[in-house]
């Protein structure tokens, strides 16, 4: 269908409106996971529209970068809000702590699961959420900034940024500094990098 691409734009708009309702409403409050899903839907909608429209516009490269930049800005605003500014983070009493022992928190999750002291759903959401949290960031940085298509700048950019996020969360008392969060976050962006380097996928997502 000729205008099928507009379905993606509509999906993004609906997800964005739902999120705005969540922000301004006093009665409707989504969890961080639900908000993250809405953000992902917005990203898929905008990126889907970009690829659907690339065969019907004259300046494909410009349209590609404009739509991806808009999606990136939306993602960054949401990410900043969820990591540092979400009132829910202030309402929960967070015990500021530092864990520098790799896999310690992950093993604690495993122990909690075997002893049935923490639902498996919570463990999976936390683990997968940490892996996926910065994957959209990795995608946008990769496709929008050419230097980030090389492994070394990509790797060190995310390493320093994710460590910085952990430090800021600890200082602002909206989270704890945990090396396992860094390991899971980095795993996500590195998995994405490997996927984007697969030849037929690389051809789709890299503009000169």
């Amino acid at each position: 269908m000729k205008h099928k691409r507009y379905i993606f734009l509509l999906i993004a708009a609906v997800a964005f409106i739902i999120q705005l309702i969540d922000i301004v409403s006093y009665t409707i409050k989504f969890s961080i996971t639900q908000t993250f899903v809405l953000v992902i839907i917005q990203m898929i909608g905008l990126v889907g529209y970009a690829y659907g429209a690339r065969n019907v516009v004259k300046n494909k490269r410009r349209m590609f970068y404009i739509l991806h930049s808009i999606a990136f800005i939306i993602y960054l605003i949401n990410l900043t809000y969820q990591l540092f500014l979400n009132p829910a983070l202030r309402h929960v009493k967070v015990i500021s702590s530092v864990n520098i022992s790799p896999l310690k928190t992950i093993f604690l999750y495993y122990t909690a699961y075997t002893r049935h002291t923490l639902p498996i759903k919570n463990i999976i959401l936390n683990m997968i959420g940490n892996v996926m949290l910065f994957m959209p960031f990795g995608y946008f940085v990769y496709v929008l900034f050419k230097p980030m298509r090389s492994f070394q700048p990509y790797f060190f950019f995310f390493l320093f940024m994710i460590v910085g996020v952990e430090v800021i969360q600890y200082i602002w008392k909206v989270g704890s500094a945990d090396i396992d969060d860094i390991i899971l976050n980095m795993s996500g962006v590195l998995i994405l990098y490997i996927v984007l380097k697969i030849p037929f996928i690389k051809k789709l997502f890299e503009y000169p």
Side-chain angles (χ1 to χ4, degrees):
M1 189 169 63
K2 185 178 179 181
H3 301 296
K4 189 190 300 183
R5 64 186 183 276
Y6 290 110
I7 295 175
F8 286 101
L9 206 57
L10 179 62
I11 290 172
V14 170
F16 184 70
I17 290 170
I18 292 173
Q19 191 176 3
L20 281 179
I21 293 172
D22 170 52
I23 293 173
V24 301
S25 173
Y26 290 99
T27 56
I28 301 175
K29 288 299 174 187
F30 295 137
S31 67
I32 292 178
T33 302
Q34 290 170 325
T35 302
F36 182 73
V37 170
L38 284 174
V39 173
I40 293 298
I41 292 173
Q42 293 170 45
M43 303 304 100
I44 293 173
L46 288 172
V47 173
Y49 176 80
Y51 285 101
R54 61 182 176 172
N55 294 323
V56 295
V57 296
K58 292 181 179 179
N59 195 332
K60 299 176 184 179
R61 187 175 182 275
R62 185 169 181 269
M63 182 274 299
F64 177 90
Y65 279 104
I66 288 174
L67 287 177
H68 275 72
S69 296
I70 293 171
F72 189 28
I73 291 169
I74 293 172
Y75 167 76
L76 285 178
I77 292 171
N78 279 281
L79 183 68
T80 302
Y81 177 78
Q82 294 300 333
L83 289 177
F84 306 116
L85 305 174
N86 191 334
L89 297 172
R90 299 293 181 180
H91 294 157
V92 178
K93 292 184 178 179
V94 178
I95 301 174
S96 295
S97 61
V98 177
N99 170 39
I100 58 173
S101 301
L103 305 181
K104 179 181 178 181
T105 301
I106 294 174
F107 281 127
L108 286 175
Y109 279 133
Y110 176 75
T111 303
Y113 168 68
T114 57
R115 294 179 179 176
H116 305 289
T117 56
L118 190 64
I120 185 64
K121 176 185 175 182
N122 292 14
I123 296 173
I124 291 174
L125 284 176
N126 189 283
M127 299 277 285
I128 294 178
N130 270 311
V131 170
M132 295 181 62
L133 183 62
F134 290 99
M135 290 181 80
F137 204 141
Y139 167 78
F140 288 119
V141 163
Y142 182 91
V143 299
L144 291 175
F145 304 101
K146 289 183 188 178
M148 291 299 172
R149 296 174 189 174
S150 299
F151 179 76
Q152 190 170 337
Y154 181 92
F155 177 85
F156 285 107
F157 170 79
F158 279 104
L159 179 62
F160 290 129
M161 187 196 69
I162 291 170
V163 170
V165 167
E166 290 293 308
V167 171
I168 293 172
Q169 285 187 319
Y170 174 75
I171 293 173
W172 286 6
K173 300 187 185 302
V174 292
S176 300
D178 193 332
I179 193 171
D180 284 355
D181 285 346
I182 297 172
I183 291 172
L184 292 171
N185 294 158
M186 286 298 297
S187 297
V189 296
L190 292 176
I191 290 170
L192 179 72
Y193 183 86
I194 293 170
V195 170
L196 290 173
K197 284 298 182 183
I198 297 173
F200 75 93
I201 295 178
K202 180 179 179 180
K203 185 178 179 181
L204 289 174
F205 290 98
E206 286 190 9
Y207 267 79

